[in-house]
Amino acid sequence: MAGKIKVIAGEMFSGKSRELARLVERALIADLAVAVVYPAFAARKSERDIVQRMMELSGRWTLTPIADGQASLIDSQLNDEVDVIAVDEVQFFSQDLPEFVKRWRHQGKTVILAGLDLDYEERPFGCMGPLLCLADEVMKVHAVCTACKRQDAFISHRLSAETDQVVVGEGNYTALCVDCYDRLQSTRLEPSPSPKLLRTKLTR
Ligand SMILES: [Zn+2]
C-alpha cells in the first residue's frame, strides 16, 4: 500500500499532541504497528503530553525518545513491521528529517508529524516548512488567544527575554492572536520587559 504523510501544525497549547494521539489510536484500532518518537531533550514537556497519552492506548506500539532529535536514529530503529511512524515536536528534529520522511513514504509507511509551524519570531520552525510541502494532508490546529480569549491564536509568544530560537518550557510562552500580538509589539517596553510586566500588559 502507498505511504502517506500527514502533518499537524500549530502554535503551543493548540492540541497537536492530542491530535497525534488520536490518529495513533485509530491506527492501533486498525491493528497497525506504530512507532512513536519524540526528541529526547524535549522530554519533560513530551512526558506530560504524548507519553501520557500513549500510556492509555493498547496495541502494537513503541515509544522512543530520540537523542538530539537526530532523524537518522529514527530510521535506524525502524523495521519492516512498522506501519506508522508518528513524530512529535518535529520542529526540534535535524534538518534531514524531510529526506527520511520521503523515504518512509516510498517504503509504504504512513508518517504522522506534529509540531510548531512558527517560532516565537514568526519564522518557519526547523524543518516544518519542507514537511508541509511534502504532506498529503495538513491539519492546522489553533489555541484560543490567551489575551482576548476571542480569536484563534497564531503564534507561541515568548514571555521571557531570551533570544535563542529554542527555549523549552511551557511557562515561557503564551498563545496570541494577530491583533493581541501586534498590540503587544507596539507597546513593548524597552529594554527587555520582565515576564511579569508582559503578562500584566496582556491582561489589560
Ligand atoms: Zn487575542
Side-chain angles (χ1 to χ4, degrees):
M1 201 162 68
K4 208 157 204 190
I5 301 170
K6 303 179 183 184
V7 173
I8 305 158
E11 63 283 342
M12 288 174 73
F13 317 110
S14 59
K16 298 182 297 297
S17 295
R18 190 180 312 133
E19 184 60 21
L20 183 73
R22 188 183 73 81
L23 296 182
V24 167
E25 183 175 16
R26 280 178 56 90
L28 292 171
I29 290 169
D31 201 25
L32 299 172
V34 184
V36 182
V37 299
Y38 59 95
F41 75 92
R44 250 186 300 171
K45 178 187 181 302
S46 294
E47 274 163 15
R48 287 199 299 275
D49 291 347
I50 192 65
V51 178
Q52 286 194 358
R53 292 181 196 285
M54 288 308 301
M55 294 305 162
E56 296 165 5
L57 302 180
S58 54
R60 292 185 296 152
W61 58 262
T62 59
L63 180 64
T64 312
I66 303 296
D68 299 322
Q70 287 298 322
S72 57
L73 292 179
I74 307 175
D75 193 64
S76 64
Q77 293 178 15
L78 293 177
N79 58 46
D80 293 343
E81 304 266 291
V82 174
D83 305 298
V84 178
I85 304 159
V87 185
D88 199 19
E89 308 272 14
V90 294
Q91 75 280 356
F92 292 148
F93 276 87
S94 53
Q95 294 293 327
D96 55 351
L97 178 61
E99 290 305 313
F100 286 104
V101 167
K102 281 196 251 182
R103 184 187 303 177
W104 299 333
R105 174 160 62 182
H106 283 289
Q107 291 170 351
K109 299 185 189 301
T110 295
V111 189
I112 310 170
L113 307 150
L116 296 171
D117 41 9
L118 298 175
D119 71 3
Y120 78 107
E121 289 201 309
E122 242 182 310
R123 299 169 297 200
F125 207 143
C127 50
M128 182 53 97
L131 291 174
L132 286 169
C133 296
L134 285 172
D136 299 292
E137 293 176 22
V138 173
M139 178 183 290
K140 283 265 194 165
V141 287
H142 294 285
V144 174
C145 173
T146 54
C148 66
K149 302 188 192 303
R150 292 288 180 275
Q151 304 195 73
D152 283 352
F154 87 110
I155 200 165
S156 315
H157 174 66
R158 183 174 292 172
L159 295 167
S160 68
E162 292 161 286
T163 54
D164 289 347
Q165 186 182 40
V166 178
V167 175
V168 179
E170 285 185 357
N172 290 320
Y173 297 91
T174 193
L176 293 182
C177 73
V178 175
D179 289 345
C180 292
Y181 179 78
D182 288 346
R183 185 162 55 91
L184 187 68
Q185 297 297 324
S186 64
T187 59
R188 183 180 284 276
L189 295 176
E190 298 295 343
S192 310
S194 70
K196 190 179 174 190
L197 268 177
L198 281 176
R199 287 196 183 95
T200 305
K201 290 170 58 160
L202 279 169
T203 52
R204 277 182 190 158

